Amino acid sequence: MHEHSLEDTKNGNRVAIVGNPNVGKSVIFGLLTGRYATVSNYPGTTVTLTSGSCKAGGEDLWVTDTPGVNTLIPMSEDEVVTRDILLNQAIKLVVQVADAKNPSRGLQISLQLAEMGLPFMLVLNMWDEANSRGIDINVKKLSDAIGITVIPTIGVQRKGIKELRESLTEERYSSLSISYGNLIEDGIKKLEAILPQSRISRRSIALMLLAGDASLKPWLNKNVSPSDVTTIDAIRRDLQNKFYEPLGYVINQIRLKKAEKIVEGVLSRHQKSGSNVTVHIGKWAMHPVWGIPVLLAALFLMYEFVGVLGAQVLVGLLEEGLFGNYINPYMTFIAERFIPDLFFRDLFVGEYGIITMALTYSIALILPIVGTFFIAFGILEDSGYLPRLAIMVHKIFKLMGLHGKAVLPMVLGLGCDTMATFTARVMETRKERVIVTLLLALGVPCSAQLGVILGMLGGVSLTATLVWAFSVILVIFLVGYLSSKVLKGESSDFVFDIPPLRIPVLSNIVFKTLSRTEWYLKEAVPLFIVGTLILFTLDKIGGLEVIERIASPVVVSFLGLPAKATEAFLIGFLRRDYGAAGLFALAQNGQLNPNQVVISLVTITLFVPCVANLLVMIKERGLKTGLAIVAFIFPFAFLVGGVLNFVFNLLGIKL
Ligand SMILES: Nc1nc2c(ncn2[C@@H]2O[C@H](COP(=O)(O)OP(=O)(O)OP(=O)(O)O)[C@@H](O)[C@H]2O)c(=O)[nH]1
Ligand SMILES: [Mg+2]
């Protein structure tokens, strides 16, 4: 890949941006490299590495943006990524980004970087917010105290970035050191004698090991003999027996004290510059009672924007207007003139034609819906509302045996399940990651699908919408609850940082929407074309009828749908939004009654979202787990649809 060759040449000039979650690392990365890395106002936006080149003082640097960490002793998979880059790669300079509002939190990481013996500099970002909260940090004093360059910045206003860039060529080592008391220092010495030389100091690795860092196992097995690994374990156990609290906790507390002491010497407070309205709104959004109207208001605005503007107005303009009146008739006209062969003509403009089906569906039906959803979702992400939503629903998630953190991947799934499956890395235990992956694949409709579904349901009735939502939510809870009982493992405690509510930055919304739309066009549209080609081929060889006949006991008898719905399910295997679009088209033609709309939508909502999601599931959770999830989901989706049909018939419900 292009990046790899660049990576090799930049080997000696690597800069890594590290720091706590949600402090503006990706904003600063973007400003330094000109490459966009997703920026959002919630912790855990970045879960993998992104790199780009950056010119500084005549030097070419290769800068890497990393997932946020609370400590360099990793608790979750995304944190391992960051620690490992420091452990395994030749880093010329670490740029630590910290939140100027909360310097002691950042300094705990500075202390660990100093311990590792890595050259680093400290960026105090969000200087504007610190200021409006009455926090003043004496930069010169802080810089003297740590012995490295400290630069205040306001990422979103590009302030301080020039100074930052100029300092990137300096290589300064911190003078900070901590003493952890005789007992621990003794343990450190013993471990240092065993540990091999590596990129970071023996002392820092010794401390990670004492703190009980299990993620170091692969590194240990590679670099230390098995007998030494046993000795290390024994030393650690001996030392732990002398403490009442877990060693990791003891070590963190000592670091925290030291960080607070440094902050004491450099921080002063002044009068706040005016009261902050967003603080109050932020509180309401988390309130157990007031949170609900706030949520409803957010959903209502979203529905108006996506369901009405996107799914009705824009789809109308594009589908009936642009494609219906111009592109499709015009293309059909051209095809009739220039392609004499009926077979090839149909390939482009027939019932399953690339233009009349694949492009019409993807550009006229799905794009406007996804586009408006991306904008709305981007605004939600950047406002800081999502973590507040997480707080509100964390009690319910706890019932399912899940951490409140899980709401983030689940809510992000509404944007794109594939991306959200990556974000499941923020969950601390494997059990939680598997459950989140399963629930995402099973029940969380992605933006494209959600838009199409809402568009369809909006045309039926509010009751139909509620029945659909209720069925899907019920299934999520049931499956979530049962799987947390079946899967072994701990579910972790609730610690969560809530970022301040912010007014979204327009340019970021634009960037984010553009990059997501580009992704949609690149990833989804080709799959739509493949799906259409499959339908086209099946239709031509008469396979479609055969499949419809075979599927008839399930689709027609069990689900109570017309045989033609089989096509939608067929392409739904490739992407469920495409399947939903197929159902949309059926409903538009009046081939589905309201009951059938709800049954078919519930069934397709429960499908695995798309091939991309399937691949990421396998990549992230392993082949066995990935396939097991799929093997469960498909029959289960039809089962739920069938049960719904049965209940409708039994109770004589007509929506
Ligand atoms: N007010 C203010 N907001 C900022 C500043 N820098 C970044 N932000 C906002 O802070 C939020 C987080 O920015 P990101 O760049 O995504 O943070 P990150 O450190 O990469 O976060 P993770 O990847 O989740 O660890 C976004 O909403 C930014 O718009 C700043 O200097 N001032
Ligand atoms: Mg980031």
Side-chain angles (χ1 to χ4, degrees), residues 6-184:
L6 252 179
E7 236 169 280
D8 293 338
T9 55
K10 300 275 162 62
N11 238 345
N13 275 330
R14 285 172 166 276
V15 171
I17 302 181
V18 304
N20 299 101
N22 209 38
V23 295
K25 296 180 296 300
S26 298
V27 170
I28 288 178
F29 169 81
L31 291 173
L32 289 177
T33 61
R35 264 195 77 170
Y36 181 72
T38 314
V39 168
S40 296
N41 190 13
Y42 58 82
T45 308
T46 308
V47 288
T48 49
L49 303 172
T50 315
S51 302
S53 58
C54 159
K55 276 210 184 330
E59 275 189 54
D60 277 327
L61 302 173
W62 186 242
V63 181
T64 303
D65 183 24
T66 65
V69 290
N70 283 311
T71 131
L72 292 169
I73 298 169
M75 298 294 290
S76 54
E77 283 185 355
D78 53 332
E79 292 187 337
V80 174
V81 172
T82 303
R83 201 274 319 275
D84 280 356
I85 189 177
L86 300 178
L87 182 64
N88 298 323
Q89 296 195 358
I91 303 286
K92 180 185 139 79
L93 179 72
V94 174
V95 174
Q96 190 205 335
V97 182
D99 181 351
K101 299 193 292 296
N102 193 349
S104 62
R105 201 159 139 243
L107 279 173
Q108 292 173 64
I109 293 183
S110 313
L111 285 165
Q112 292 179 68
L113 289 170
E115 243 159 31
M116 289 178 165
L118 293 168
F120 73 103
M121 64 185 291
L122 181 63
V123 175
L124 289 175
N125 193 36
M126 308 205 165
W127 197 254
D128 53 334
E129 289 188 343
N131 223 292
S132 68
R133 281 168 181 65
I135 296 170
D136 248 330
I137 298 171
N138 186 326
V139 174
K140 168 87 179 52
K141 259 197 195 163
L142 181 60
S143 163
D144 289 344
I146 326 180
I148 54 163
T149 311
V150 177
I151 293 175
T153 58
I154 306 173
V156 283
Q157 296 170 21
R158 299 169 176 257
K159 290 212 174 113
I161 301 302
K162 190 165 151 269
E163 292 78 358
L164 167 59
R165 195 184 290 268
E166 279 161 7
S167 320
L168 285 180
T169 46
E170 294 171 15
E171 233 175 85
R172 289 177 64 184
Y173 291 83
S174 166
S175 50
L176 281 180
S177 68
I178 311 186
S179 165
Y180 290 90
N182 290 342
L183 285 176
I184 294 180

Side-chain angles (χ1 to χ4, degrees), residues 182-198:
N182 290 342
L183 285 176
I184 294 180
E185 288 296 336
D186 226 40
I188 296 175
K189 277 210 198 74
K190 283 187 195 146
L191 291 185
E192 277 179 324
I194 304 175
L195 290 169
Q197 177 70 38
S198 75

Side-chain angles (χ1 to χ4, degrees), residues 555-561 593 595-596 599 641-655:
V555 175
V556 181
S557 313
F558 189 51
L559 296 182
L561 299 176
N593 68 31
N595 277 15
Q596 291 174 325
I599 293 169
V643 169
L644 204 58
N645 182 32
F646 179 74
V647 172
F648 284 165
N649 288 337
L650 191 73
L651 304 180
I653 295 174
K654 288 225 166 11
L655 292 169

Side-chain angles (χ1 to χ4, degrees), residues 342-344 346-348 350-354 357 528-547 567 570-571 574 578:
L342 188 66
F343 181 88
F344 285 106
D346 278 353
L347 178 60
F348 293 99
E351 192 184 353
Y352 306 103
I354 290 176
M357 186 174 183
F528 292 161
I529 295 179
V530 173
T532 307
L533 286 177
I534 292 174
L535 283 187
F536 174 81
T537 316
L538 283 174
D539 180 48
K540 288 289 171 197
I541 61 174
L544 219 43
E545 264 172 58
V546 178
I547 292 177
E567 284 170 24
L570 211 57
I571 49 177
L574 277 180
Y578 199 36

Side-chain angles (χ1 to χ4, degrees), residues 10 14 28 60 67 125 128 254-255 280 287 305 309 350 354 357 406 424 475 496 532 605 628-629 638:
K10 300 275 162 62
R14 285 172 166 276
I28 288 178
D60 277 327
N125 193 36
D128 53 334
I254 296 172
R255 283 190 188 130
H280 295 294
H287 193 276
F305 193 64
L309 179 71
I354 290 176
M357 186 174 183
V475 166
F496 204 78
T532 307
T605 306
I629 290 178
F638 284 108

